[in-house]
Amino acid sequence: MKEAPYIVSACLAGVNCRHDGGNRLDRRVARLVAEGRAIPVCPEQLGGRPTPRAASNLAGGTGADVLDGRACVVDVTGRDVTAEFIRGARETLLIARTAGATRAILKENSPSCGVKRTYLLDASGRPGRVEGQGVTTALLSREGVRVISEDEL
Ligand code: SF4
């Protein structure tokens, strides 16, 4: 039987989808894509965010809190981009289900893709790295997709 594909953060596969227009190529992830074993997605682009774009941070809680309406996502200009982040997470889940993917490799530290760590605004409005998942990782995990980061490969 054919192996189910991974969902992977597109920036890890070398796609220039990061907020600064660059990527975070990880050759192990790119190889999975080249072998037809992984599907690259960028949740922020899928949610309608442009590239390049203002960087974003979670505010008031991590990804699961955003899904539950207890926290939000704001970009560095102060714009609330929560709706785009949730849309991107849902689109990523739809792609995973359509492709039969049950595993994902997502980019650590991102407010969308972070697996063990993400970026959260502190009480003074400064971004800092905290333990917790990004919005897409939280949704995929909640829906039964096993998510690891490039650090765990
Ligand atoms: S970390 Fe996720 S949302 Fe950010 S650029 Fe990479 S794929 Fe897109």
Side-chain angles (χ1 to χ4, degrees):
M1 199 171 83
K2 197 165 175 274
E3 179 191 44
Y6 289 89
I7 294 293
V8 297
S9 291
C11 59
L12 291 175
V15 178
N16 292 321
C17 55
R18 276 173 51 87
H19 65 85
D20 61 3
N23 66 71
R24 282 294 171 89
L25 175 65
D26 182 307
R27 294 193 185 284
R28 298 165 300 177
V29 173
R31 192 179 318 123
L32 285 172
V33 174
E35 291 170 353
R37 299 170 60 200
I39 299 166
V41 301
C42 176
E44 291 181 27
Q45 289 184 333
L46 285 168
R49 299 285 289 145
T51 304
R53 57 188 171 276
S56 299
N57 294 287
L58 304 174
T62 60
D65 300 309
V66 172
L67 295 176
D68 292 337
R70 293 192 300 264
C72 58
V73 190
V74 289
D75 74 16
V76 293
T77 71
R79 186 165 168 266
D80 187 319
V81 292
T82 308
E84 288 99 318
F85 270 63
I86 291 175
R87 190 181 309 131
R90 288 180 178 153
E91 289 297 306
T92 301
L93 177 62
L94 182 60
I95 291 169
R97 285 188 170 148
T98 302
T102 55
R103 298 175 293 179
I105 305 164
L106 301 186
K107 176 75 188 73
E108 195 58 279
N109 300 321
S110 154
S112 295
C113 295
V115 178
K116 290 203 164 78
R117 296 177 300 277
T118 186
Y119 271 87
L120 182 70
L121 296 179
D122 66 18
S124 62
R126 271 194 291 269
R129 214 160 57 173
V130 299
E131 283 187 17
Q133 297 178 327
V135 179
T136 292
T137 300
L139 183 62
L140 293 184
S141 299
R142 196 173 272 189
E143 296 294 328
V145 178
R146 182 169 171 264
V147 187
I148 62 170
S149 76
E150 75 280 16
D151 294 345
E152 299 168 273
L153 274 178

